Amino acid sequence: MTEQVYKDASRGVEERAEDLLSRMTIEEKVAQLGCAWITSLMDSQGFSPTLAREVAPHGIGEVTRISGATALRPAESAAIANDLQRYMVEGTRLGIPALVHEEGTGGFLARDATVFPQAIGLASTFDPGLVEEVATVIREQLLAVGARHCLAPVLDVARDPRWGRVEETFGEDPVLAGVLGTAYVRGLQGEDLAGGVLATGKHFLGHALPEGGRNHAPVQLGPRELRDVHAEPFAMAISGARLGSVMNSYSSVDGLPPAGSRAILTDLLREELGFEGVVVADYFAVSFLISHHRVAADKRAAARLALHAGLDIELPETSCFGEPLMDAIGAGEVSMELIDTAVRRVLSAKLALGLFEHPFVDAGRSAVVFDTPEQRALARRAAEESIVLLRNDGVLPLRPGLRRIAVIGPGADDPRLLQGDYHYPSHHRLPAESGAKAAGGGPSADAAAHDGEAAGPAVEDIDSLLPPVTGEWQPGAYYTPHVTPLAGIKALAGPGTSVEHAAGCAVTGDDRSGFEEAVRAASGAEVAVVVVAGRSGLSLASTVGEARDATSLALTGVQEELVEAVAATGTPTVVVVLSGRVHALERVGAVASALVQAWPLGEEGGSALADVLFGVVSPSGRLPVSLPRRVGQVPRYLGHRAGGSTAMFYGEYVDSPTSPLFPFGHGLGYTSFGYGPIRVEASDTLTPVSVGVDLRNTGERTGDEVVQLYVTDLVASVARPERQLVGFTRVRLAPGESCRVEFSVHPSRLGFFDERLRRVTEPGQFRFDVGASSADLRSGATVSLGGEVVEYPISSLRPTTVSVATSTGSRP
């Protein structure tokens, strides 16, 4: 018997993978490219070896969502994972463990897991260190239950707020998304994958810019914009954090569905960006090559296209990569070399994760790392940093000694509305939401065709795509303790303050019967806090989230009318927007004394919001997206190419300014900051540009400032963005305290794809500006960059580095 090198942990991953590959039959190889829902391997007693032998007789590549698709608690999930791995290790010929994947965009999507702010809220922190801490907690919880693959982070650059999934992203700017996404990957994967979780950058590529904001709709992007903007966060995570996994986009890009496109998954992703990891299919994406994109006639053709494109594993269950793939191999349509390449990547990932050495976990201790006091404190800090104060006439922070506060609105006391679409349990159809019609009174998902166009694929509800789960395994409304805004305000208001609550209306519908109670509560109060909201999720009852796109950016239902009715009482009105949707807030902003963007805040959202409202902490969140005045401005974002942000000839629309209501990077606080003159030292296209500025807290409170560095390439060989973010840092200063902020901008950071689609940095004049937002620039300077045109491939893109030196009492 030959030595089983693949079982020898002292050998290298490549050597072990090759040894194992050489021992595998065709059936065993193909099995590693497939997947199964955990529920297909379970009966009423739990994991079923009998079912496993039917579904995965030769082993399997991945298993889908032990925790996320069930009501299992951590110890139970860990026990099921151990039973699964015991079957794989002891019940299959070669003993190859399975890779269990779960979701985790703003916390592990699992019962009892800590619920952090949704990704768009994490983006509002502009704090990569915090994002890495959050992802580290997610890693610890995943490891505890035996899950070694996380389908996060979302690296899509989101520039169409009609699209329901904007809340899962890090916003509209590729640099912000790249920096925060890289931090997220570091937190998940750790220093060494042997102690980490495989992170998945998604969705490659251009998924966040579908036509009309319609989920899965075609994306019309040229190769330059695709690379300059949408590929950049992936490139940063690959080069900066060794991103181990990538998931394809559903949307076709210039006619090419990524799941079946070698130009996208191999030529661009692997050869240009330097990706070496595993490419996994977004759920059902291989089958969608048949039903949605119509580029494959059947499952056999779809399997051939996907394998040739460079896709390695089909999720969430084996459909095309099972018998149809075996038929394609038998017919000579798929070579064994192609199969071996994909299997080699899967095996290498499992070996790098240490699954062969440590397939089991300590189920008895798994719950210890779930929703601990320390994790809840982190969730509260993340929520605090994510809250953006958009406008304030002086009513905030709320003064001490208030006798009466009215807390109004559908978001005031509903824990469900603190959650994003990929939180547990909001990701599932909950009993209270079952049977709901489409939000806002519009047509349901299965509306009949009209105007001569077919309605397209539709489902009764997203759950119809998922496997049936019954009995005790059925997901339900199982929340960790959630602090609502009402509870948070009551806790901080003090014994001498009366807090009166009135919902006023629901998130959707036209019922105004609660207005009278809300107006009465506001009339007798010294301040009214109105918490308007969206409902994130995937069901028809949701107003935002995956598959919940919209044509209007207004608040749903009659919430805007509620705000106007409360404000009409003359009581100072603080409007808090607790929603994953990027809303056009011109109407409510016109009557509000203060306007706060909160996003889905997670389990400690009410505590964090109260901390900000009462001034326990100064608000420090910044907008990761531009907030439009109205939907007709879409798309409106930072980084329009030269001449693209205004309307020729007059600069404005007939009925509106072209500027956003609130620009990218905007956010107010309770203190003020003074900026000194910018100092820029530039040499040539081979040497980093040094940018320095002094900053001082000129107010009376401790606060955080997010210092933002922007650049404009004044003359280039192709049209460049009018202004680009190239660096940022969060600085906390006490009153009178000052610091020196130094940015080092690598010349690759100034590069772009030229006429020949080479990524180059050109000599010439560049304008550097530093400030508090993209529209609040405090100091700038123009410098000349000398030298020759230098080619910097996107795989060599270097991030801007920042250093901060603080000195108490000094001035800029």
Side-chain angles (χ1 to χ4, degrees):
M1 183 177 179
T2 60
E3 179 186 5
Q4 294 182 309
V5 172
Y6 77 94
K7 292 185 177 181
D8 185 352
S10 69
R11 306 291 187 98
V13 167
E14 184 177 346
E15 183 182 8
R16 296 175 70 189
E18 290 301 329
D19 178 71
L20 180 51
L21 193 63
S22 70
R23 300 171 184 272
M24 299 172 74
T25 65
I26 293 178
E27 291 79 8
E28 288 167 337
K29 290 178 179 180
V30 169
Q32 290 300 306
L33 308 182
C35 185
W37 284 98
I38 186 59
T39 49
S40 70
L41 308 175
M42 295 170 64
D43 58 21
S44 60
Q45 303 303 307
F47 179 81
S48 167
T50 300
L51 288 175
R53 281 189 289 272
E54 294 175 7
V55 175
H58 304 291
I60 202 157
E62 297 222 12
V63 169
T64 297
R65 298 200 208 178
I66 295 177
S67 298
T70 69
L72 294 169
R73 308 194 84 157
E76 299 165 327
S77 290
I80 293 290
N82 284 342
D83 290 342
L84 164 71
Q85 300 294 23
R86 189 168 294 106
Y87 165 77
M88 294 297 168
V89 171
E90 300 174 3
T92 63
R93 187 176 73 91
L94 293 172
I96 304 173
L99 196 56
V100 176
H101 73 256
E102 300 280 1
E103 298 279 2
T105 60
F108 178 14
L109 197 168
R111 187 176 178 183
D112 296 341
T114 309
V115 182
F116 295 100
Q118 175 65 302
I120 195 70
L122 295 177
S124 295
T125 71
F126 277 66
D127 190 341
L130 173 69
V131 170
E132 186 169 346
E133 285 186 66
V134 167
T136 298
V137 170
I138 297 170
R139 164 165 53 93
E140 292 169 350
Q141 294 179 347
L142 287 163
L143 287 172
V145 297
R148 303 301 301 277
H149 187 187
C150 184
L151 304 186
V154 175
L155 299 178
D156 298 319
V157 177
R159 292 182 168 178
D160 191 331
R162 295 171 296 179
W163 186 54
R165 303 188 74 175
V166 170
E167 66 172 66
E168 300 173 38
T169 77
F170 293 126
E172 71 185 31
D173 183 77
V175 170
L176 180 64
V179 170
L180 299 184
T182 299
Y184 209 97
V185 172
R186 287 197 189 106
L188 284 177
Q189 296 191 168
E191 292 297 320
D192 185 345
L193 268 182
V197 169
L198 201 66
T200 303
K202 60 185 189 183
H203 308 83
F204 200 80
L205 192 61
H207 191 46
L209 201 63
E211 288 181 344
R214 298 184 297 275
N215 201 38
H216 296 203
V219 170
Q220 309 299 351
L221 282 172
R224 184 169 294 99
E225 185 83 355
L226 193 70
R227 288 164 170 79
D228 272 339
V229 175
H230 298 272
E232 189 165 301
F234 291 88
M236 293 174 71
I238 290 166
S239 63
R242 311 176 320 279
L243 176 65
S245 175
V246 163
M247 175 180 281
N248 71 279
S249 166
Y250 285 125
S251 299
S252 63
V253 180
D254 192 25
L256 299 178
S261 172
R262 189 169 184 83
I264 292 175
L265 294 187
T266 297
D267 298 347
L268 177 55
L269 176 61
R270 295 194 184 278
E271 294 180 10
E272 290 191 45
L273 273 60
F275 178 68
E276 297 179 344
V278 179
V279 175
V280 299
D282 205 343
Y283 284 15
F284 315 108
V286 182
S287 293
F288 283 171
L289 295 175
I290 309 165
S291 61
H292 185 70
H293 298 291
R294 303 206 309 268
V295 296
D298 52 31
K299 291 184 177 183
R300 179 164 137 184
R304 176 179 53 80
L305 274 177
L307 261 296
H308 181 74
L311 197 149
D312 301 314
I313 304 180
E314 182 179 18
L315 305 184
E317 58 189 352
T318 305
S319 177
C320 301
F321 278 18
E323 287 302 317
L325 178 56
M326 290 294 292
D327 290 343
I329 295 170
E333 297 169 356
V334 174
S335 69
M336 284 311 302
E337 180 182 6
L338 200 59
I339 295 294
D340 286 352
T341 297
V343 175
R344 187 179 292 111
R345 292 174 186 142
V346 176
L347 297 178
S348 295
K350 292 182 177 184
L351 289 163
L353 288 164
L355 267 177
F356 284 79
E357 290 71 53
H358 304 288
F360 307 113
V361 295
D362 185 346
R365 290 188 52 79
S366 59
V368 172
V369 297
F370 276 74
D371 209 29
T372 67
E374 294 79 12
Q375 291 168 355
R376 293 192 68 92
L378 178 62
R380 183 170 182 164
R381 177 160 65 91
E384 288 171 351
E385 289 192 20
S386 76
I387 293 169
V388 185
L389 178 58
L390 298 173
R391 180 177 291 161
N392 184 21
D393 70 358
V395 67
L396 293 180
L398 298 177
R399 61 180 175 81
L402 288 171
R403 296 188 309 276
R404 190 170 180 183
I405 301 173
V407 183
I408 295 165
D413 197 33
D414 187 346
R416 169 70 177 81
L417 304 183
L418 290 167
Q419 296 204 324
D421 67 339
Y422 271 75
H423 283 138
Y424 191 101
S426 65
H427 188 70
H428 299 284
R429 181 176 58 189
L430 304 180
E433 300 171 15
S434 295
K437 299 298 182 185
S444 65
D446 57 350
H450 80 119
D451 289 341
E453 292 188 27
V459 295
E460 287 290 332
D461 200 296
I462 194 70
D463 281 4
S464 67
L465 295 175
L466 307 181
V469 184
T470 57
E472 61 182 301
W473 317 125
Q474 178 68 45
Y478 304 113
Y479 292 88
T480 58
H482 277 46
V483 182
T484 65
L486 177 63
I489 290 170
K490 282 184 173 180
L492 275 188
T497 302
S498 172
V499 179
E500 185 171 349
H501 170 237
C505 66
V507 171
T508 57
D510 58 3
D511 185 358
R512 298 169 178 80
S513 61
F515 277 28
E516 183 178 351
E517 182 186 9
V519 167
R520 185 169 57 250
S523 298
E526 292 167 89
V527 65
V529 178
V530 184
V531 187
V532 293
R535 184 186 297 108
S536 297
L538 281 70
S539 72
L540 289 174
S542 301
T543 65
V544 61
E546 185 171 4
R548 306 309 296 136
D549 314 313
T551 60
S552 171
L553 300 183
L555 297 171
T556 53
V558 293
Q559 294 185 90
E560 293 183 346
E561 293 179 38
L562 174 66
V563 171
E564 290 171 334
V566 170
T569 65
T571 301
T573 302
V574 178
V575 178
V576 178
V577 183
L578 184 66
S579 176
R581 174 80 64 197
V582 176
H583 289 290
L585 300 174
E586 194 168 39
R587 182 176 173 182
V588 298
V591 299
S593 304
L595 187 59
V596 178
Q597 178 66 61
W599 313 116
L601 289 172
E603 63 184 27
E604 282 290 330
S607 300
L609 181 62
D611 287 343
V612 168
L613 296 181
F614 284 95
V616 176
V617 298
S618 180
S620 60
R622 300 294 185 264
L623 287 177
V625 289
S626 305
L627 298 191
R629 299 173 186 275
R630 55 198 67 178
V631 72
Q633 287 181 294
V634 172
R636 191 67 179 88
Y637 53 87
L638 170 70
H640 285 280
R641 291 188 185 266
S645 65
T646 58
M648 297 293 281
F649 301 110
Y650 303 111
E652 309 288 0
Y653 292 105
V654 170
D655 57 351
S656 171
T658 53
S659 61
L661 185 64
F662 297 105
F664 175 89
H666 172 74
L668 306 177
Y670 297 152
T671 190
S672 57
F673 293 89
Y675 285 72
I678 194 171
R679 297 176 296 279
V680 184
E681 297 178 5
S683 175
D684 54 40
T685 51
L686 294 171
T687 306
V689 178
S690 177
V691 182
V693 68
D694 292 327
L695 181 74
R696 181 172 180 256
N697 185 337
T698 56
E700 299 178 354
R701 291 172 175 264
T702 294
D704 287 14
E705 177 77 332
V706 177
V707 182
Q708 301 164 43
L709 178 64
Y710 296 90
V711 68
T712 301
D713 189 344
L714 296 179
V715 179
S717 60
V718 302
R720 299 292 294 125
E722 294 174 336
R723 183 171 294 135
Q724 288 180 278
L725 182 72
V726 288
F728 60 89
T729 190
R730 173 183 277 263
V731 180
R732 174 165 295 179
L733 295 176
E737 191 176 18
S738 65
C739 69
R740 181 184 179 91
V741 179
E742 295 281 354
F743 296 93
S744 180
V745 184
H746 192 270
S748 67
R749 182 72 270 162
L750 306 177
F752 59 92
F753 283 86
D754 68 4
E755 188 174 8
R756 295 163 53 191
L757 282 182
R758 301 175 306 159
R759 194 176 187 283
V760 300
T761 297
E762 296 177 343
Q765 289 194 312
F766 292 82
R767 170 83 184 184
F768 287 89
D769 289 282
V770 66
S773 82
S774 60
D776 183 10
L777 303 174
R778 306 295 183 86
S779 185
T782 299
V783 295
S784 293
L785 203 64
E788 303 295 327
V789 174
V790 176
E791 189 166 355
Y792 287 106
I794 193 168
S795 59
S796 67
L797 179 62
R798 300 273 293 279
T800 296
T801 59
V802 192
S803 64
V804 179
T806 305
S807 58
T808 303
S810 63
R811 293 179 177 271

